[in-house]
Amino acid sequence: MPSSSSANTKSAKADPGRPCRASDSVQTLAGVGPKLTERLTELGIVSVGDLLLHRPLRYEDRTQLTPVRQLVAGEPALVLVRVINADVRIGRRRSLCVDAEDDSGHLLIRLFHFSPSQQARFTSGAWLRLFGQPRASGFGVEMVHPEIEFVAGREEGQAFEPALVPVYPATAGLTQKRLRGLVDQALDALAKPGFWPDQLPADLAVGWGKQSPADALRLIHAPSAQADCNALIDGQHPAVARLAFEELLAHQLQLRARRQQVRGYAAPRLGDAGRGLAPLFNQLGFAPTDAQRRVIGEILADMAVAHPMLRLLQGDVGSGKTVVAAAAVLTAVENGWQAALMAPTEMLAQQHYETLSAWLEPLGVAVWRVTGKRARSDEVAQTIAAGSAGVAVGTHALFEKGVDFGRLGLCVVDEQHRFGVDQRLALTNQAGATTRPHQLIMTATPIPRTLAMSHYADLDTSTIDTLPPGRTPIATVALPNTRRDEIIERIGRAVADGRQVYWVCTLIEDSDKLEAQAAEASADLLAQALPNARIGLAHGRLANTDKQNVMTNFASGMIDVLVATTVIEVGVDVPNASLMIIENAERLGLAQLHQLRGRVGRGSVASHCVLVYQPPLSETARQRLIALRDTGDGFEIARADLALRGPGEVLGTRQTGAASFRIADLGRDQALAESAARQADDVLAYHPREAEALIERWTAATDDYVAV
Ligand code: ADP
Ligand code: MG
C-alpha cells in the first residue's frame, strides 16, 4: 500500500511526466503516443480520468486453474499445461500446432499468426499458463490463440494473483492487453493523494456516498474474486451507483450553474407594448384555448423581466404551440426588438414562415425567411444586422451561416429535441450585444419526468395540457403489408371523398438514398393503382424548392396523396389530411410514430392512421404498435416508450451529444437521478468549490456547453 505521500511526491518529482491529476492527458501515461491517443479518443478517452471511467463490459474469471478434462467448450478458462511438441501443419490454413497436456488430459493450441522466435519457445517440456476459450475439434479439445504466459515450472504456474480480469469496450488496433496496461497505470496514479479527491460534500449522507470514488473505481477495474460481477456489469453495484450519482449530480450542477449564469445576464424588458394580443387573436380565425392563454401569460411574464427567460414549452403534437410562439414574437417585435424562430428542418421553417407571415404581417410585423444559402451581404441579412424590428425564420442556419442580429430580443426554438444543448447555447451569444435574448424552447415529444429533469434542469417549464376543441381522436389500426390492396382501396375511397392522405415510407438502414427510392417506388405503385388520384412525392433528396412546391400543393389541395419519407415528421400542418399510412411502422420508435400520426387529426373530420408492418413482428415492435393503437396521449406514449426502449433512445438517436452519460443510465438510475436533482441546489449554494470541481471532473469533454 503506497500510503506515504512523501514517497509518492518523490517519485512524481523523479518522473515529472507521470499523471498527477485525473484531468491529465492520456499522453502522460507511459507508452502513449499520437497513434494510441487517436485510438483512445475514438473510445471517448482523452484524459487519465476518462480511462478510469471506461467501464468493463464483462470480467474473465482467472481466479483458479481448470484441469483440461473439465474444460467446457465456449467457456473461457485458465489452464496450466506442459508442451509435448510443437510443429507447423499445413491444413486448410498454415498453423503452429502445440500439443500440450496436464495431469488430466490433452490440449491442442493452435496459432495462425506466429513468428519463428515464438515458435522456438515452445520446446517440449515448457510450462504454459493459458487463458482462452476451449472448443471441441477432431483432435479433442483445442484453444485458438489463447493468451499465453511461459512459466518456469508447475510451482510458478500455480502461483498467481487470483483475479477477475476486466474486458473493455475496445476498438480496432487496441488490444485488451494494451487497455488493461493503461488502466493499470491509471490505477497506480489513482493511489496518489489528490489525484481523484472525493468531491461529494461530506454531508451528503447517503450509503454509497460514503465510499470514496477511488475505491469505487478500483473495485470496478480490479474486483476481488468474491465481487458480484453481475452487479458490476449491469450497474446495480454500489460502486457503480456511487459514480453514477456523482455524474448525475455533476450534470445537474452544470445545468444549474449555467442557468444561474444566463439568468445573471441582462435582457431587454419586453412587456406589453400597448395594444396587447387582441389584434393577433383576431387574425387567427379561432379562439386560443385556456391552456394556450395560460402559457402565453407565463411566457410574457418572463419576457417582461430584465433577465433572459429560459423556458421550455411542452405540448403534444397539434396542441397549438405555434400560436404561443407567435404571441411571444409579436410582443418582442412590438417592443422594437428582433425575434428568431428556429426550426429543425427547412420544410418546417418554410411552414412557420408562411404561418407567421399570414398572422403577423397584417399587424405590420416584418417576417424574414433565412435559408442556408443566405449571404451576409444580401438585403435581408443587412436589415437584420442593422437591427430593425422583425422576426427571422430558418433552421440552425440562422445562427451558423453568418447572419448577425443587430437587436435580438427573443429566440424561439421549435422541436428542441433535435438540437444539441450546445446549439441551444450558441443562440444566446450574439457578438457585441450587451443583452442576451429571451429563450423559448418548444418540444412536442413529451418526455417522462426523470428525463425532463436531467435534460432540462436549466429551464422553467410551461405545458399546454389540452388540445384545441373539435379534434376527433385518430383511429389507429395495425395491418400486415400482405393486406396492401385493402389499404390502397381505402386510400381510393378517401380521395374520392375529397380528403387528403399521407403515405410515409420509413428509413431503410439509415440511407437517404434507399429511403428516397422506396418512396419513389411507392408513389409509382399508387399512381398505377389509383389513376385518378393526384400523387406528390417529398423526400430528403429533393431540392428544397421542389420539396416546398410539393408541400404547398398538398396544403392547397392540389395533391391528394403525399408520398413522403420521414421528412414530414415534424410539424407539417395540413388540416384536410385525414388518413395516414405508415409503411414499415415496426422500424420506428413510439415517439416518432406518434409525431407522424399527429400530422392527421388536425381538422374536424374523423382521421385514421394505418400502421403497416412487415410480419413477423418482434415482441417489442408488437407492444409498440399496441401502445400506439390504444392511446393518443403523448405523455402516456412517452411512458410506454421509456419502458420499452430506455432513455437514450427516447431522447432520440439523432440528438447530438445529449444525455450521454458515462456511468449513469437514466433508465436504471432513476432514483439516483431524482436524488441528485433534489440535492443539486444545496450543493451549489453551500459547496460551491466542490460543485465546480465536480462539474470540471465530469463534464470537461463538453466544455463549450458551459463556457459561453
Ligand atoms: P403544434 O403544437 O404541433 O406545433 P400547431 O401550432 O401546428 O401545433 O397547431 C396545430 C393546428 O391547430 C394548426 O392548424 C393550428 O392553426 C390549429 N390551432 C391551434 N390552436 C387552435 C385553437 N385554439 N383552436 C383551433 N385550432 C387551433
Ligand atoms: Mg409545431
Side-chain angles (χ1 to χ4, degrees), residues 226-409:
Q226 294 78 38
D228 182 349
C229 283
N230 291 333
L232 282 171
I233 293 161
D234 65 22
Q236 305 291 349
H237 197 285
V240 181
R242 167 66 178 78
L243 295 169
F245 176 75
E246 190 171 306
E247 179 170 38
L248 290 163
L249 182 64
H251 179 69
Q252 288 289 324
L253 292 170
Q254 180 192 33
L255 286 174
R256 279 158 215 241
R258 166 173 117 69
R259 177 191 162 80
Q260 276 184 7
Q261 186 187 17
V262 174
R263 297 284 294 193
Y265 296 135
R269 278 183 204 274
L270 306 176
D272 177 4
R275 50 178 178 161
L277 296 172
L280 169 66
F281 292 167
N282 293 338
Q283 294 280 342
L284 296 176
F286 52 77
T289 60
D290 289 347
Q292 283 168 320
R293 287 178 189 275
R294 175 175 45 77
V295 300
I296 289 172
E298 288 164 4
I299 290 163
L300 295 194
D302 276 6
M303 286 170 56
V305 174
H307 296 287
M309 162 172 75
L310 288 170
R311 191 167 280 278
L312 177 71
L313 172 60
Q314 281 195 317
D316 206 347
V317 189
S319 61
K321 294 183 290 294
T322 318
V323 177
V324 176
V329 163
L330 178 64
T331 305
V333 175
E334 296 216 310
N335 277 276
W337 287 77
Q338 294 173 326
L341 175 58
M342 184 159 95
T345 63
E346 286 292 348
M347 193 185 274
L348 188 55
Q350 180 64 23
Q351 179 165 321
H352 277 320
Y353 170 70
E354 284 161 16
T355 307
L356 289 189
S357 302
W359 288 344
L360 298 179
E361 271 177 354
L363 306 178
V365 173
V367 184
W368 304 297
R369 174 81 168 98
V370 176
T371 61
K373 292 196 199 81
R374 192 165 293 291
R376 265 169 207 275
S377 56
D378 90 356
E379 205 181 311
V380 167
Q382 280 175 1
T383 313
I384 295 175
S388 31
V391 51
V393 183
T395 62
H396 53 276
L398 266 182
F399 292 92
E400 281 168 6
K401 294 274 162 56
V403 182
D404 299 318
F405 285 85
R407 202 170 146 80
L408 187 60

Side-chain angles (χ1 to χ4, degrees), residues 318 320-322 348 351-352 414-415 442 444 570-572 599 602:
K321 294 183 290 294
T322 318
L348 188 55
Q351 179 165 321
H352 277 320
D414 194 12
E415 311 294 351
M442 310 199 289
V570 180
V572 175
R599 299 308 111 215
R602 301 188 151 227

Side-chain angles (χ1 to χ4, degrees), residues 460-665:
D460 297 309
T461 306
S462 291
T463 306
I464 307 182
D465 51 9
T466 47
L467 293 181
R471 299 274 168 85
T472 43
I474 306 163
T476 302
V477 292
L479 295 177
N481 59 8
T482 46
R483 291 168 66 180
R484 189 182 281 258
D485 290 350
E486 235 170 282
I487 298 164
I488 291 176
E489 215 180 285
R490 198 164 171 169
I491 296 175
R493 266 179 283 141
V495 171
D497 285 351
R499 295 198 273 139
Q500 289 174 282
V501 181
Y502 289 103
W503 176 290
V504 182
C505 302
T506 61
L507 202 70
I508 299 166
E509 287 164 6
D510 221 355
S511 153
D512 249 16
K513 189 171 157 204
L514 290 179
E515 196 182 43
Q517 283 172 357
E520 273 162 22
S522 295
D524 288 348
L525 180 103
L526 284 172
Q528 272 171 22
L530 303 169
N532 294 325
R534 293 162 300 175
I535 292 169
L537 180 64
H539 56 67
R541 296 217 132 199
L542 291 180
N544 277 326
T545 47
D546 292 344
K547 244 186 305 188
Q548 271 158 29
N549 284 338
V550 173
M551 292 312 296
T552 311
N553 288 338
F554 188 59
S556 65
M558 311 264 293
I559 288 176
D560 301 310
V561 182
L562 178 66
V563 178
T565 58
T566 47
V567 295
I568 66 149
E569 177 192 347
V570 180
V572 175
D573 183 35
V574 179
N576 190 47
S578 62
L579 176 58
M580 159 80 53
I581 316 289
I582 305 175
E583 271 194 300
N584 299 313
E586 78 280 2
R587 291 201 186 124
L588 298 186
L590 260 181
Q592 208 181 359
L593 286 168
H594 178 61
Q595 285 269 336
L596 278 171
R597 180 174 61 173
R599 299 308 111 215
V600 295
R602 301 188 151 227
S604 49
V605 283
S607 290
H608 298 267
C609 175
V610 182
L611 305 169
V612 187
Y613 62 87
Q614 163 99 48
L617 276 182
S618 73
E619 186 51 28
T620 331
R622 202 176 67 88
Q623 296 203 356
R624 228 184 270 152
L625 298 188
I626 288 175
L628 207 68
R629 191 191 62 196
D630 293 349
T631 176
D633 175 352
F635 283 94
E636 206 39 63
I637 284 171
R639 267 190 292 278
D641 208 13
L642 184 66
L644 286 171
R645 291 194 301 165
E649 280 183 84
V650 171
L651 282 173
T653 43
R654 285 177 233 200
Q655 188 167 20
T656 42
S660 53
F661 291 106
R662 286 190 269 190
I663 303 286
D665 172 329

Side-chain angles (χ1 to χ4, degrees), residues 122-313:
F122 292 99
T123 51
S124 119
W127 285 85
L128 309 175
R129 192 164 54 215
L130 312 173
F131 184 83
Q133 188 163 311
R135 64 181 198 193
S137 81
F139 309 99
V141 190
E142 69 175 27
M143 279 189 187
V144 177
H145 279 283
E147 279 180 44
I148 301 172
E149 260 177 294
F150 287 85
V151 289
R154 188 191 293 270
E155 211 157 286
E156 191 188 308
Q158 284 170 337
F160 57 92
E161 195 71 16
L164 293 167
V165 177
V167 180
Y168 294 100
T171 180
L174 186 55
T175 61
Q176 290 296 330
K177 209 167 168 181
R178 200 80 190 267
L179 262 170
R180 272 179 216 138
L182 294 174
V183 171
D184 281 346
Q185 286 189 57
L187 287 173
D188 285 346
L190 186 62
K192 292 182 195 168
F195 179 83
W196 195 297
D198 189 349
Q199 251 126 20
L200 282 190
D203 58 350
L204 278 189
V206 275
W208 17 264
K210 304 269 186 224
Q211 183 178 26
S212 80
D215 286 345
L217 289 167
R218 242 172 255 128
L219 190 73
I220 286 169
H221 292 287
S224 72
Q226 294 78 38
D228 182 349
C229 283
N230 291 333
L232 282 171
I233 293 161
D234 65 22
Q236 305 291 349
H237 197 285
V240 181
R242 167 66 178 78
L243 295 169
F245 176 75
E246 190 171 306
E247 179 170 38
L248 290 163
L249 182 64
H251 179 69
Q252 288 289 324
L253 292 170
Q254 180 192 33
L255 286 174
R256 279 158 215 241
R258 166 173 117 69
R259 177 191 162 80
Q260 276 184 7
Q261 186 187 17
V262 174
R263 297 284 294 193
Y265 296 135
R269 278 183 204 274
L270 306 176
D272 177 4
R275 50 178 178 161
L277 296 172
L280 169 66
F281 292 167
N282 293 338
Q283 294 280 342
L284 296 176
F286 52 77
T289 60
D290 289 347
Q292 283 168 320
R293 287 178 189 275
R294 175 175 45 77
V295 300
I296 289 172
E298 288 164 4
I299 290 163
L300 295 194
D302 276 6
M303 286 170 56
V305 174
H307 296 287
M309 162 172 75
L310 288 170
R311 191 167 280 278
L312 177 71
L313 172 60

